[in-house]
Amino acid sequence: MSTAREQPIFSTRAHVFQIDPATKRNWIPAGKHALTVSYFYDATRNVYRIISLGGAKAIINSTVTPNMTFTKTSQKFGQWADSRANTVYGLGFASEQHLTQFAEKFQEVKEAARLAREKSQDGGELTSPALGLTAHQVPPSPLVSSNGPGDEKLFRSQSADAPGPAERERLRKMLSEGSVGEVQWEAEFFALQDSNNKLAGALREANAAAAQWRQQLEAQRAEAERLRHRVAELEAQAATAEPPAVSEKEGPGQALEQLEALVQTKDQEIQTLKSQTGGPREAPDSAEREETQQKVQTRNAELEHQLRATERSLEEARVERERARAEVGRAAQLLDVRLFELSELREGLARLAEGTP
């Protein structure tokens, strides 16, 4: 592509597509990343072209004619047909504003191309009212950046006072020779900037994830420590609750044996009294026997009451012990789960530390 007489008048970045020549329906992307798409003006021939370079190869080299039409097919995508190249070009922009700016510039260039054709047919001076350029004056000023939203950048030329013919020719030649390299450098710059932004975003996400994992690790450690203390307390309670249960279990048995021995003793005493007593003393003996029986019954009632109380205490102690054991089991299971999660967090932090440069 020869750009000895051409100057870029507008540049933007977009994803470039071409229609599939076989199906005439599907789009074929020109690359994975956005490319710089520029409007060039040839002051000598009064011709406008849309050019996009992919490395050293011209992806788009389309001469704008008055018959061309740029169509917006969505909020961020537009296309136009080039009959000379026998293809259809498509551009995907980062925002609707960039698409609108490119479409407006396309209309301006199209109108300028129409006026230039009419002027050339009339034989007058070739002028471009839409862009303020003439065939005898090429803007010698360098490109001036006009930043749009996001990371996309648009460029426009800035007019300056025209120097002498020799100086103007020298400046025009220098700028023309450097225009292609400048577009390539600009494309490389945007590619490096995109890569740098992606790496910075990944690093920020990794740092945020590491901080969150550290917080989770501290919380897991605190929870594990609390569970250890709880398990120790429950084990101590279970250890202190079991011996009294055994003693209470032995207590009723001893009391029952004592009661039976006392009953036997009283029965023996009654039999002895019966054998020793005669007729005249039968009434006193009966009274004494009844008194003894009442005492024995009273003692039996007291012992039965103590036995029932002891059995209730034993049952309550057994239920409490079972509850304590169940709680200890649940706490132990929860502790195992927390320790497993803690080990997974440690492994994740270790992998993150190894993978972070």
Side-chain angles (χ1 to χ4, degrees):
M1 180 185 65
S2 174
T3 58
R5 300 179 302 272
E6 292 177 307
Q7 294 295 321
I9 58 175
F10 180 88
S11 295
T12 185
R13 287 183 63 80
H15 291 272
V16 179
F17 299 86
Q18 278 186 280
I19 200 71
D20 188 351
T23 62
K24 297 295 183 180
R25 294 182 179 180
N26 301 325
W27 289 106
I28 301 176
K32 297 181 179 180
H33 305 286
L35 301 176
T36 300
V37 182
S38 304
Y39 286 93
F40 279 81
Y41 173 63
D42 187 344
T44 303
R45 297 186 302 161
N46 204 22
V47 173
Y48 299 90
R49 291 198 297 168
I50 302 175
I51 296 175
S52 178
L53 298 178
K57 180 182 177 182
I59 305 299
I60 299 177
N61 186 5
S62 176
T63 302
V64 180
T65 64
N67 298 328
M68 285 185 178
T69 301
F70 184 81
T71 305
K72 296 181 182 180
T73 58
S74 68
Q75 292 183 349
K76 298 181 180 180
F77 193 87
Q79 65 184 44
W80 78 95
D82 189 342
S83 58
R84 295 184 180 180
N86 194 23
T87 187
V88 179
Y89 296 103
L91 298 179
F93 296 88
S95 66
E96 185 176 2
Q97 180 180 359
H98 290 92
L99 173 60
T100 302
Q101 291 174 344
F102 187 89
E104 292 175 352
K105 185 59 65 174
F106 191 96
Q107 190 64 28
E108 292 178 8
V109 170
K110 175 182 174 181
E111 182 66 18
R114 184 185 66 80
L115 295 176
R117 175 179 294 181
E118 293 178 356
K119 291 291 183 179
S120 63
Q121 291 175 355
D122 295 340
E125 186 183 72
L126 299 181
T127 60
S128 301
L131 301 178
L133 299 173
T134 67
H136 302 289
Q137 179 181 353
V138 177
S141 59
L143 292 179
V144 179
S145 172
S146 174
N147 295 335
D151 293 334
E152 303 291 329
K153 294 186 177 180
L154 306 176
F155 296 89
R156 65 176 184 273
S157 61
Q158 187 178 43
S159 300
D161 295 334
E167 184 67 16
R168 185 172 66 244
E169 183 66 23
R170 187 179 66 84
L171 290 175
R172 183 175 62 183
K173 184 177 180 181
M174 291 173 59
L175 291 174
S176 299
E177 291 176 352
S179 61
V180 176
E182 191 171 323
V183 171
Q184 293 177 348
W185 294 338
E186 182 186 352
E188 293 178 0
F189 170 75
F190 278 110
L192 291 175
Q193 191 176 28
D194 292 340
S195 300
N196 186 38
N197 291 335
K198 291 179 181 178
L199 291 175
L203 182 59
R204 285 194 297 271
E205 292 178 359
N207 291 334
Q212 185 178 3
W213 287 348
R214 290 191 189 98
Q215 293 177 357
Q216 293 180 358
L217 179 60
E218 294 298 329
Q220 294 292 342
R221 286 178 178 174
E223 182 67 14
E225 190 65 23
R226 187 186 67 80
L227 291 175
R228 288 194 188 96
H229 289 304
R230 181 59 180 166
V231 169
E233 292 176 359
L234 294 175
E235 289 178 351
Q237 291 178 3
T240 55
E242 289 180 358
V246 176
S247 62
E248 290 176 359
K249 186 176 180 180
E250 294 177 354
Q254 293 178 355
L256 185 60
E257 291 176 358
Q258 292 176 1
L259 179 59
E260 292 176 353
L262 181 59
V263 170
Q264 291 177 0
T265 303
K266 294 299 181 181
D267 289 340
Q268 291 176 0
E269 290 179 357
I270 291 171
Q271 294 298 330
T272 303
L273 290 173
K274 283 182 178 180
S275 62
Q276 292 178 356
T277 57
R281 301 185 60 180
E282 182 176 357
D285 290 340
S286 298
E288 186 178 356
R289 186 170 60 251
E290 291 177 359
E291 182 180 359
T292 303
Q293 288 178 353
Q294 289 178 357
K295 290 181 179 179
V296 171
Q297 290 176 359
T298 303
R299 180 61 178 170
N300 286 341
E302 292 177 355
L303 290 175
E304 287 178 0
H305 179 70
Q306 292 179 1
L307 180 61
R308 286 193 295 270
T310 303
E311 288 177 350
R312 286 195 299 269
S313 299
L314 179 61
E315 183 64 22
E316 291 175 357
R318 186 184 62 79
V319 172
E320 180 65 22
R321 184 170 64 255
E322 293 297 330
R323 187 187 64 79
R325 286 179 178 175
E327 189 172 356
V328 169
R330 288 193 300 270
Q333 292 178 356
L334 183 58
L335 179 61
D336 292 339
V337 173
R338 297 298 185 187
L339 291 176
F340 179 73
E341 293 177 354
L342 182 62
S343 64
E344 287 186 342
L345 283 174
R346 288 178 177 172
E347 292 177 359
L349 287 175
R351 290 193 299 269
L352 180 63
E354 292 176 357
T356 303

